[in-house]
Amino acid sequence: MTPGYDLKRVDFIFQDESDWKEILQKSLGRPSAELINELISSELKGRGGAGFPTGFKWKLAADELNPIKYIICNADEGEPGTFKDREILTKVPMKVLTAMAICGYVVGSHEAYIYLRGEYFFLQPALNKAIQEFQATCQELNFDFRINLFMGAGAYICGEETALFESMEGKRGEPRNKPPYPTSFGYLGKPTVINNVETLAHTYTIFKYGAKRFYDLGVQYSRGSKLFSVSGDTPKPGIYELELGMSLLDFVHDFGDGDTKAVQVGGASGFLVPQKRFAETTIGFQGKLTGISLPTGGSMMLFNSSRSMYNVLDNYLEFFREESCGQCTPCRVGCQQLLNGIKAVKRGEKNALYLDKLLRLTETMQYTAKCGLGQSVANSFSSIVENFREEMIY
Amino acid sequence: MVAVLELIDNLAGQYGRDRSSLLPILQGVVKQENYLSEYAMIEIARALNLPAAEVYGTATFYSFLEYKKMGKYLIRICKTITCSMKGKNQVLMAIEDMLKIKVGETTPDGMFSLLQTNCLGFCHMAPAMLINFDVYTDLTPEKVREILSGYLNKKGGADDTRI
Ligand SMILES: Cc1cc2nc3c(=O)[nH]c(=O)nc-3n(C[C@H](O)[C@H](O)[C@H](O)COP(=O)(O)O)c2cc1C
Ligand code: SF4
């Protein structure tokens, strides 16, 4: 899509869900290979941030021979600036439960969990009620499937899939080495499909309307629509479903306050895009041939010219330092050193060239940290320091 | 309210005695007691047949499993970027001023504790805070004073907002 077009608003996710029983029954009556092919041809990619093709994930788990398998809905939603998953679980919980059950049918699993972040404890009663109603229908349909709610306890890192398994197993939320991947060795060492809340909600749309309706939205490598959590300096903060592949310039035209200096795409672990790059940046998954394409869990934070980018970076680094699980040295010590380092430069105790040393440290973290948290600190650090170097110093 | 030992026994009965029941049991104790005492952690370890150090190591990993004594109402104010940009510090000052405590402290009567926390997921209604498990958004110093007055008025009453 070239800049200058209006953003395309989409209304799939929050569309009425009262037909969930029908969708469930219809899907359980189809061969599982057909359902997998439907998902694969929709080209749906995971909406939790990493963008793994959902159809292939289900297929990998379906091909495993283990009689015990698990389905997990990742509702840990901790990335700064992200608040869409709660909205889905509040407004259309039946879509998510239906999708989990269809996934269970496809891969051959009878046990599922929703891992809900502790901060959303207040959702528990409503969600339990929805689960009860859903279970009753599964029984009516003679479909052996149980869904349990598991509460997190205030740790961002538990959104990382293997840390989430550790947490459910009653341990510290410390990420595992990958491989093995969850589809072969997940919760309790069993084959596990773990999907983001929004990913599951999109599969409902695909099973309802067929792959084409979904595939026809978006651009190459980034099909369909996506929920965006919009916050910061904008006259209309909130949750919006938009077609993928939009240009950041058009986004800012629609959501900015007329004075947008930069947009942080993808939360603290994402990238800061300065105004001069808005036109060449599109929002979607990587693999696009022209311009820069950013994958995203959907967090869009806008900053206007009154904001200090130093304060923004300082805030992100404090977040990472606190949320690092501390298991590996590059991340544990790296986050501390980056935060101390920019403070020292700001106070004039270190000269500006020290920033280049810190940039090299983030590169090292990118290659040596064990999981996505430590690896992604480089994203916001380098994009902020390189584009707003003066603000780091003066 | 039951004694801690009985509570742990009930929770283990409800969730099972596997390691994977550890988090729900810890959460159940925090829900009643507001925090995990050393005694409670040792008893949980005994109930699940785990080394006490494992229970301690796990519990202290999670920011919502307090292991220091906390007030009846635990205030957690979000300090992540958007809340900070939208006036979190003014709100925090209003709370500190009204309750006469700083971040990390508990009022002498044991009613309120004040903490900062990372992104609560209400950036579009910033600034936001939790009091126990109730969310308050679009805060201003005036609004937060009103909210706290509400809690102060029911102070000592039988009700408890913990769900
Ligand atoms: C530090 C870190 C935090 C994460 N937090 C979340 C999260 O809160 N929710 C989520 O769905 N995925 C999160 N992920 C991604 C998960 O590891 C995993 O890729 C995702 O749940 C897969 O689902 P999807 O394929 O549907 O996106 C996180 C990853 C990392 C490295
Ligand atoms: S990169 Fe950070 S969060 Fe990830 S395992 Fe290492 S210390 Fe833990």
Side-chain angles (χ1 to χ4, degrees):
Chain A
M1 237 185 282
T2 37
Y5 284 81
D6 284 339
L7 295 185
K8 182 152 179 202
R9 294 228 182 351
V10 181
D11 180 26
F12 275 138
I13 298 269
F14 295 116
Q15 220 177 60
D16 178 63
E17 63 169 354
S18 58
D19 54 2
W20 66 271
K21 281 187 195 175
E22 195 186 311
I23 306 295
L24 178 65
Q25 201 165 6
K26 192 181 88 180
S27 304
L28 297 184
R30 294 171 69 185
S32 52
E34 197 183 299
L35 293 167
I36 289 180
N37 285 336
E38 189 90 57
L39 270 192
I40 290 177
S41 54
S42 75
E43 292 189 15
L44 168 65
K45 291 181 181 173
R47 299 312 200 220
F52 191 82
T54 309
F56 285 108
K57 188 183 277 192
W58 290 23
K59 183 166 172 24
L60 286 171
D63 289 345
E64 290 285 332
L65 296 175
N66 203 313
I68 298 176
K69 299 178 187 179
Y70 296 107
I71 311 299
I72 296 178
C73 167
N74 190 342
D76 198 45
E77 189 162 65
E79 187 63 53
T82 314
F83 36 88
K84 62 179 177 86
D85 292 341
R86 180 188 61 237
E87 190 90 345
I88 297 175
L89 291 173
T90 307
K91 290 196 172 149
V92 287
M94 288 312 190
K95 287 193 181 180
V96 178
L97 302 180
T98 303
M100 291 172 78
I102 297 173
C103 181
Y105 164 70
V106 165
V107 310
S109 159
H110 304 284
E111 192 84 30
Y113 293 87
I114 298 174
Y115 188 102
L116 184 68
R117 72 187 302 222
E119 288 82 345
Y120 294 169
F121 193 87
F122 56 88
L123 269 187
Q124 206 184 25
L127 212 45
N128 272 330
K129 204 167 148 257
I131 291 173
Q132 263 176 16
E133 187 189 341
F134 188 79
Q135 299 283 56
T137 300
C138 286
Q139 265 177 3
E140 276 167 36
L141 296 176
N142 254 331
F143 180 57
D144 174 22
F145 195 68
R146 285 165 307 283
I147 300 180
N148 312 280
L149 189 55
F150 193 98
M151 294 305 302
Y156 164 70
I157 190 59
C158 289
E160 197 281 338
E161 52 198 15
T162 61
L164 186 149
F165 302 146
E166 293 286 307
S167 173
M168 284 181 59
E169 290 173 13
K171 297 180 240 162
R172 296 165 68 88
E174 291 174 349
R176 303 172 182 167
N177 281 316
K178 285 192 273 192
Y181 293 100
T183 45
S184 59
F185 190 92
Y187 176 51
L188 298 175
K190 308 291 183 210
T192 303
V193 172
I194 177 163
N195 273 132
N196 172 256
V197 176
E198 184 188 346
T199 310
L200 290 164
H202 283 296
T203 68
Y204 185 94
T205 306
I206 293 164
F207 294 133
K208 177 172 174 177
Y209 292 114
K212 190 168 181 307
R213 280 283 286 276
F214 184 87
Y215 180 88
D216 283 348
L217 292 173
V219 295
Q220 199 185 6
Y221 305 118
S222 303
R223 295 292 171 187
S225 56
K226 164 102 197 63
L227 288 184
F228 289 90
S229 309
V230 182
S231 68
D233 295 312
T234 165
K236 41 182 181 184
I239 296 155
Y240 299 86
E241 185 172 356
L242 302 170
E243 187 174 5
L244 279 179
M246 66 187 170
S247 109
L248 194 54
L249 192 64
D250 292 337
F251 175 83
V252 170
H253 186 75
D254 200 329
F255 289 95
D257 62 358
D259 183 27
T260 308
K261 163 167 140 182
V263 180
Q264 180 80 16
V265 180
S269 63
F271 295 82
L272 185 96
V273 185
Q275 192 199 5
K276 62 174 189 277
R277 291 265 162 79
F278 287 169
E280 69 199 67
T281 305
T282 56
I283 306 300
F285 299 96
Q286 261 134 355
K288 208 163 174 287
L289 297 175
T290 51
I292 317 161
S293 189
L294 298 175
T296 167
S299 163
M300 306 291 273
M301 299 190 276
L302 293 90
F303 301 107
N304 69 19
S305 64
S306 74
R307 306 298 176 187
S308 147
M309 289 301 128
Y310 172 84
N311 287 346
V312 172
L313 183 58
D314 186 289
N315 190 282
Y316 290 165
L317 290 174
E318 191 175 301
F319 173 83
F320 285 127
R321 190 199 55 192
E322 289 176 4
E323 298 293 346
S324 162
C325 83
Q327 184 184 188
C328 64
T329 320
C331 171
R332 184 184 63 243
V333 179
C335 291
Q336 288 165 7
Q337 289 307 315
L338 292 173
L339 184 58
N340 294 342
I342 63 160
K343 284 187 194 297
V345 171
K346 192 72 179 177
R347 285 195 299 257
E349 292 161 15
K350 297 267 186 203
N351 71 28
L353 293 177
Y354 192 67
L355 289 173
D356 300 316
K357 271 199 177 156
L358 296 177
L359 280 167
R360 281 200 295 279
L361 172 58
T362 62
E363 256 172 60
T364 309
M365 289 168 69
Q366 205 168 6
Y367 294 113
T368 55
K370 185 170 176 180
C371 86
L373 188 151
Q375 291 159 5
S376 65
V377 174
N379 299 349
S380 48
F381 192 91
S382 60
S383 57
I384 293 176
V385 168
E386 279 162 12
N387 288 301
F388 294 96
R389 200 177 166 95
E390 330 74 59
E391 292 192 30
M392 301 299 121
I393 304 165
Y394 305 109
Chain B
M1 212 146 100
V2 292
V4 180
L5 207 54
E6 197 185 333
L7 174 67
I8 293 170
D9 203 51
N10 292 346
L11 289 165
Q14 182 185 346
Y15 295 107
R17 288 169 195 271
D18 296 335
R19 175 94 195 226
S20 55
S21 310
L22 180 56
L23 246 62
I25 293 175
L26 291 169
Q27 287 161 337
V29 172
V30 172
K31 192 164 145 189
Q32 177 181 303
E33 302 284 303
N34 291 3
Y35 83 114
L36 292 159
S37 62
E38 224 169 80
Y39 172 72
M41 287 195 265
I42 290 169
E43 288 305 326
I44 292 170
R46 207 193 304 274
L48 299 191
N49 203 10
L50 286 170
E54 281 286 321
V55 173
Y56 181 81
T58 304
T60 54
F61 183 84
Y62 295 93
S63 70
F64 274 40
L65 298 175
E66 304 297 335
Y67 53 97
K68 292 195 197 97
K69 199 162 169 47
M70 286 292 149
K72 179 174 178 193
Y73 299 115
L74 176 47
I75 304 169
R76 288 189 168 96
I77 183 158
C78 176
K79 66 176 164 106
T80 304
I81 186 70
T82 308
C83 285
S84 295
M85 282 170 23
K86 305 273 168 167
K88 180 268 291 180
N89 277 344
Q90 286 86 314
V91 174
L92 186 60
M93 268 154 57
I95 301 174
E96 291 180 336
D97 190 53
M98 193 163 169
L99 300 178
K100 307 276 178 277
I101 50 171
K102 298 259 168 246
V103 170
E105 294 177 352
T106 300
T107 52
D109 61 0
M111 290 311 280
F112 295 94
S113 295
L114 178 59
L115 295 176
Q116 299 202 74
T117 191
N118 283 327
C119 192
L120 287 174
F122 285 90
C123 320
H124 55 326
M125 306 179 192
M129 70 174 180
L130 286 176
I131 299 186
N132 294 347
F133 289 110
D134 292 331
V135 188
Y136 298 92
T137 60
D138 295 304
L139 296 172
T140 59
E142 297 76 55
K143 196 168 162 185
V144 84
R145 275 192 284 266
E146 233 170 79
I147 294 164
L148 290 181
S149 301
Y151 279 87
L152 283 167
N153 289 338
K154 68 180 170 190
K155 186 174 143 173
D159 62 329
D160 192 321
T161 55
R162 277 177 187 263
I163 353 175

